[in-house]
């Protein structure tokens, strides 16, 4: 699987979680499928209906107006190429349910919330700070 090599650091990091939710999966299902193949319980969300791999549960949801039940059991919420206007709403959901929030952005987009930066094969993975570390 060619995609796995590019995303291996990302997969390694996310594989540390037992249950994750991917926000805005769209048609890019390779990371969610690879995580599920590694034994992670993966739920994917999007504002539109998309086909997801058989080992990934899909639910329609809007992170700006979320159904918190969709995220309640998550250890981490992650998103790939997340636009800046969705950083804060996603972080708020993660805080509400007690999950970590990890994400990547498109190109030159900078994170709109306080983060720690981790270099991964696919670029930069941003890890939003918990409430305890916010100033």
């Amino acid at each position: 699987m060619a995609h796995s090599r590019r995303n291996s650091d990302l997969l390694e990091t996310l594989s540390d979680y037992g249950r994750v939710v991917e926000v805005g999966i769209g048609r890019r299902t390779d990371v969610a499928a690879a995580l599920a193949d590694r034994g992670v319980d993966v739920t994917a969300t999007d504002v539109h209906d998309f086909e997801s791999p058989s080992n990934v549960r899909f639910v329609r949801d809007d992170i700006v107006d979320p159904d918190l039940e969709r995220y309640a059991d998550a250890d981490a919420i992650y998103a790939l190429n997340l636009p800046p206007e969705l950083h804060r709403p996603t972080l708020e959901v993660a805080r509400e349910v007690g999950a970590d929030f990890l994400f990547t952005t498109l190109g030159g987009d900078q994170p709109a919330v306080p983060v720690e930066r981790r270099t991964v094969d696919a670029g930069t993975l941003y890890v939003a700070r918990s409430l305890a570390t916010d100033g």
Side-chain angles (χ1 to χ4, degrees), residues 11 18 38 66 80 89 94 102 105 109 114 116:
L11 290 173
R38 290 174 171 222
L80 307 175
L102 304 92
T105 61
D109 287 345
E116 294 173 14

Side-chain angles (χ1 to χ4, degrees), residues 94-123:
R95 285 179 171 167
E96 188 72 27
V97 300
D100 290 345
F101 172 38
L102 304 92
F103 64 101
T104 64
T105 61
L106 271 177
D109 287 345
Q110 290 301 306
V113 296
V115 294
E116 294 173 14
R117 288 167 167 78
R118 293 188 192 163
T119 301
V120 294
D121 296 337

